[in-house]
Structure formats: structure tokens, C-alpha cells
Amino acid sequence: MARNWVVRSLALRHAMRNRVLTLSFNRILPSLPSKSSLLATTAAATASSQLSLLPSFHHSRSLSSASAPSDVVLVNSEEEFNNILTKVRDDSLHAVFYFTAAWCGPCRFISPIVGELSKKYPHVTTYKIDIDQEALQGTLGKLQISSVPTLHFFQNGKKADELIGADVARLNYITEKLFKKD
């Protein structure tokens, strides 16, 4: 009986992480087997039969974050990132550096909002950096990027704010506060 609850809790956690509706979860896994049926089967057989009842979530969702709108500049190397950061600082530019990952659910959630804000504030360049790129690992360490999504906001070439997480209200507040033209 305990094994079935473990399988259910893992499936529920997976469903919640991937924003799958869980209201019909009891239809996905039938009622708990009796104690005698658990004793009659081996642990491997029980686990495999229960897992075979779960739908395959991987086929219904993309494993990459939403594709970047044309207003968002993709950064692919450490050299490119350093050149952009130097240009932003030297030319006193407005910029947003959006650190993301393809496997990150909150990143996929906030990505379209970052794209919309890049269109709303065309005088601010948004740079999208995938933290899983091997060529950027040194830069990520220097910047102490340990969570995604992380956004660094630069106003007039200086880092003005930082947002860690997918807090849409705070994202809107920061961008309006820093970049709204009067």
C-alpha cells in the first residue's frame, strides 16, 4: 500500500510541476490494491504495473523554453556575453539579462511575459542566456547565478535591480519603474 502512495505522490508532483490538471487524478490510478494483492506481487511487478497506468506526460509538453521573440537577443558564448555587458556599461544603455534554462518550468512560464515587455519597452534590449550552455559556465559563476529564472536589470549602464523567480507582478513593477518613459 505504501508503494502505491509513493507512486501516486511522484505522479502528482510531476503533474503539478508540469502544470497538468490533477482534478481527474483518481481516474489515472485506480483505487488502492488490497493488502493481500500487494503481498502476492513482487515490488518490481507492483511498481511497473502502477507506472504503466500513468500517462506519458513527456509527449504533451515541450522541453525547451518558449522560443525567443525577435526582440530578445540570444547570447551563445561567454565572449559574446562579455562584449554585450561591456557595451551596455560603456554606452550607458538600458538592458535586461534574462538567465533561463530549457528544463525550467517557471522559466517557460515567464518567457512570454519577458518577450511582451521587450516589445513594450523597445528602447531596452533584452538578452536571453541559457545557463546550460557549456560556453557560459565561467560567467555564471562570476555573476553568482544559482537559480533560474534570474533577471538582471541595467539602467544607464549600471545594474539597478535583480529578480529571482517567476514573480510577474514584481517583473512588471521593476520594468515600469526603471524603463517607463515619461
Side-chain angles (χ1 to χ4, degrees):
M1 188 163 156
R3 286 185 197 104
N4 202 1
W5 283 109
V6 169
V7 170
R8 280 182 181 228
S9 67
L10 288 173
L12 181 61
R13 187 177 314 139
H14 179 80
M16 289 177 10
R17 183 178 8 176
N18 295 300
R19 299 186 191 284
V20 175
L21 269 173
T22 58
L23 297 175
S24 60
F25 189 70
N26 287 332
R27 288 187 291 170
I28 295 171
L29 287 176
S31 62
L32 293 171
S34 67
K35 188 174 183 179
S36 62
S37 68
L38 275 177
L39 294 175
T41 59
T42 65
T46 302
S48 65
S49 67
Q50 291 299 315
L51 288 175
S52 67
L53 295 172
L54 293 174
S56 176
F57 294 110
H58 296 288
H59 298 293
S60 63
R61 65 181 182 91
S62 169
L63 292 177
S64 62
S65 42
S67 60
S70 59
D71 297 344
V72 177
V73 178
L74 297 176
V75 179
N76 297 310
S77 71
E78 188 168 354
E79 180 183 358
E80 184 180 3
F81 177 81
N82 290 332
N83 291 339
I84 291 168
L85 186 58
T86 300
K87 181 174 174 56
V88 167
R89 288 179 174 159
D90 290 348
D91 296 346
S92 298
L93 300 175
H94 298 318
V96 176
F97 291 91
Y98 169 42
F99 298 91
T100 184
W103 48 263
C104 170
C107 298
R108 289 192 306 267
F109 169 74
I110 205 167
S111 186
I113 297 159
V114 170
E116 289 173 18
L117 290 172
S118 71
K119 290 178 184 172
K120 184 176 178 180
Y121 300 101
H123 61 288
V124 179
T125 306
T126 303
Y127 299 98
K128 184 175 181 179
I129 301 102
D130 185 343
I131 65 160
D132 289 329
Q133 292 186 36
E134 195 66 36
L136 291 165
Q137 295 306 309
T139 299
L140 298 174
K142 290 177 200 167
L143 295 173
Q144 298 177 344
I145 304 296
S146 59
S147 299
V148 286
T150 295
L151 293 100
H152 288 185
F153 300 89
F154 282 74
Q155 183 181 37
N156 299 321
K158 297 184 190 313
K159 185 175 172 186
D161 213 332
E162 178 179 79
L163 172 67
I164 300 173
D167 186 342
V168 176
R170 186 153 179 257
L171 173 61
N172 285 321
Y173 171 76
I174 292 170
T175 52
E176 187 169 323
K177 176 183 79 170
L178 295 176
F179 306 128
K180 185 176 181 182
K181 289 186 175 181
D182 295 322

